[in-house]
Every structure is written in C-alpha cells, then in structure tokens.
Amino acid sequence: MSSPDTVIEELERERLPEVAAELCGQGYRLVQMMGNPREETINVIVSFDKNYQLKNYRIRIPRNDLVLPSITGATLAAFSYENELSDLFGIKVTDLAIDYGGKFLRTKVRHPL
C-alpha cells in the first residue's frame, strides 16, 4: 500500500549494483524494477523491502546512452525484470546473469516503449 510519505531516492546507475548488494546483504529482497519512459530518459524504479519497509530508487537513463548495470550478482531474481527492461525499452543491461538476448518477451514491435 502506497502512502503520501513514500520516498523515491535518486541513484546514479553506476551505484545500483553496490546498493543492491548492500541491501540484499542486510536482508532486503527485491520487490520490483520498472521502466517509465520520459522524453529524454527512461526512468527505472527499483524497490527493495525488509519487514514491510520499502526503499525505492530512481535511475534516470538518458535515451542516448541506454545502459544499466545488472544487479543479478546481488539478487538473481532481477533477471526477469532486467530482461523485460531490455525487451521493452532497449536498455542494454550489462553483466546480466541470465540473458535472453532480446527474446524474453514477444512483442509486435521491437522495444515498444
């Protein structure tokens, strides 16, 4: 359940694997990763949970540099979200543990979002 005091912290994409490893090491679990297309960026929201306390992060990925480091080294559960980001938005996820090579989702149009 969302509340008015939900905080989404800005995070540089290079720090994402480090933050994910730190949180998972503290017992947090990955809840979701989602893309939100904007005019000049694709915003990726990543949420972690521990004891019903969410930590939310926004990574702004410029459309002219669609690269995001994988967090599958910290939590293998991220592989499905990261493949989805790749298929839907054309984001190149580096060091992805399980990479479907753009064939995780079937869409009529390549990178529809």
Side-chain angles (χ1 to χ4, degrees):
M1 181 168 150
S2 180
S3 67
D5 59 348
T6 298
V7 175
I8 301 176
E9 185 178 330
E10 297 290 330
L11 184 66
E12 296 296 320
R13 63 180 152 185
E14 296 80 16
R15 292 203 52 235
L16 180 60
E18 167 194 341
V19 169
E22 181 179 311
L23 290 172
C24 290
Q26 295 172 12
Y28 282 83
R29 66 182 181 89
L30 177 66
V31 174
Q32 64 89 29
M33 293 179 80
M34 63 171 250
N36 181 7
R38 311 307 289 168
E39 190 171 321
E40 295 181 13
T41 63
I42 306 272
N43 293 342
V44 175
I45 308 296
V46 184
S47 301
F48 296 89
D49 166 82
K50 180 179 177 184
N51 300 324
Y52 303 105
Q53 297 298 311
L54 281 176
K55 290 191 179 268
N56 303 292
Y57 299 92
R58 178 186 301 118
I59 299 100
R60 297 177 193 265
I61 303 174
R63 286 192 177 265
N64 64 356
D65 187 20
L66 292 174
V67 177
L68 180 70
S70 176
I71 62 171
T72 53
T75 175
L76 191 56
F79 89 90
S80 61
Y81 295 116
E82 292 176 346
N83 276 284
E84 202 172 81
L85 289 170
S86 177
D87 289 0
L88 294 177
F89 300 99
I91 296 172
K92 168 68 175 139
V93 181
T94 59
D95 301 318
L96 183 53
I98 303 172
D99 188 350
Y100 278 75
K103 296 183 168 95
F104 187 69
L105 299 175
R106 292 183 188 186
T107 58
K108 287 184 179 183
V109 178
R110 186 177 167 116
H111 313 308
L113 303 173

